[in-house]
Amino acid sequence: AIQNGFSALITTLQSDGTALPLYFSLVYGLSSLWNNEILLRMLSVFFSIGTLIIIFILSEKLFGTSTAYRSAIVFSLIPFAVIYAQLLRPYALLMLLFSLVIYLLVEFERTKNNRILIWLTIVHGLLLFTHYQGFIILASEAIYILLRWKEHRFKPLTVLSFGVPVLCFLPWLATTIAYITTKSGAFWVKVGLDTVPYLFYKFATGM
């Protein structure tokens, strides 16, 4: 679909429903400049390096330099992180945006700077158009904010950092609903509370 043009790419993604458009749009843009597989895979490498840098900076701010180095080493040795850094898939971008969400949320709690909310809104939107797990990340973040709303005096403007991205996603919502309703039995694992330990083990060990 990438070789047939951008409109064909979006049409394919909408009809298939298994992937969201952001990462593959980036791949399309890069391939239009130089259609080389190694170059295209470098996108995931750069995203993974970015995640590593954010993990280091965040760990250093919260726990000190020695912990930051340990965190970076642990991340670089996680099997799935190594695999995602090599794939033509959106997972490395998802990790980068997830780490950015945590970093920005920590900074907003510390400074209460509205400019951080603007960046958080942008990252939320990018998450929703990168992978369906972005919704899980946003839901988890929203629960965290609600539990600590009074303690940290989150501003009502925080709600907009969630609402605006969701509104922007509405044009793609029909595709998402169709995918869930027609292909719900095709997922690689049945999701339930009993599968959480299994998923944690798989993602932690890569086995």
Side-chain angles (χ1 to χ4, degrees):
I2 289 179
Q3 298 171 342
N4 296 328
F6 185 72
S7 59
L9 170 65
I10 297 301
T11 301
T12 300
L13 292 174
Q14 286 179 323
S15 60
D16 183 65
T18 57
L20 293 172
L22 178 59
Y23 173 78
F24 293 100
S25 297
L26 294 175
V27 171
Y28 172 81
L30 191 58
S31 66
S32 64
L33 299 176
W34 188 16
N35 192 9
N36 180 279
E37 183 179 346
I38 296 177
L39 177 64
L40 297 179
R41 289 182 185 275
M42 287 300 293
L43 267 179
S44 294
V45 174
F46 290 137
F47 293 148
S48 297
I49 292 174
T51 303
L52 182 66
I53 293 172
I54 293 171
I55 288 174
F56 181 88
I57 295 173
L58 183 59
S59 299
E60 187 177 36
K61 283 191 174 185
L62 294 177
F63 308 111
T65 303
S66 60
T67 302
Y69 280 111
R70 294 191 192 101
S71 300
I73 291 172
V74 169
F75 173 77
S76 64
L77 295 177
I78 294 175
F80 268 94
V82 176
I83 294 171
Y84 290 166
Q86 306 172 57
L87 295 179
L88 270 170
R89 293 290 185 272
Y91 309 126
L93 177 57
L94 178 69
M95 288 194 301
L96 174 62
L97 294 173
F98 185 22
S99 60
L100 271 174
V101 165
I102 297 174
Y103 175 79
L104 292 172
L105 188 60
V106 169
E107 282 296 292
F108 179 68
E109 280 197 62
R110 187 176 63 86
T111 64
K112 299 298 185 293
N113 189 335
N114 284 340
R115 291 183 179 179
I116 296 177
L117 280 181
I118 296 175
W119 287 109
L120 195 59
T121 303
I122 294 172
V123 175
H124 284 166
L126 296 176
L127 259 176
L128 294 185
F129 282 96
T130 297
H131 197 279
Y132 291 115
Q133 289 185 22
F135 285 94
I136 299 176
I137 294 171
L138 260 65
S140 302
E141 184 188 356
I143 292 172
Y144 170 81
I145 290 175
L146 289 173
L147 291 175
R148 299 169 67 89
W149 186 277
K150 292 183 179 180
E151 180 182 350
H152 287 270
R153 298 177 182 177
F154 285 99
K155 299 178 181 180
L157 193 60
T158 309
V159 177
L160 290 178
S161 70
F162 290 87
V164 171
V166 171
L167 287 175
C168 292
F169 187 81
L170 287 180
W172 201 270
L173 187 60
T175 300
T176 303
I177 293 175
Y179 171 64
I180 294 174
T181 54
T182 59
K183 300 183 180 180
S184 59
F187 292 112
W188 66 278
V189 64
K190 292 184 178 180
V191 178
L193 291 178
D194 57 326
T195 63
V196 172
Y198 168 75
L199 291 175
F200 178 81
Y201 170 77
K202 292 288 288 184
F203 279 92
T205 64
M207 300 173 63

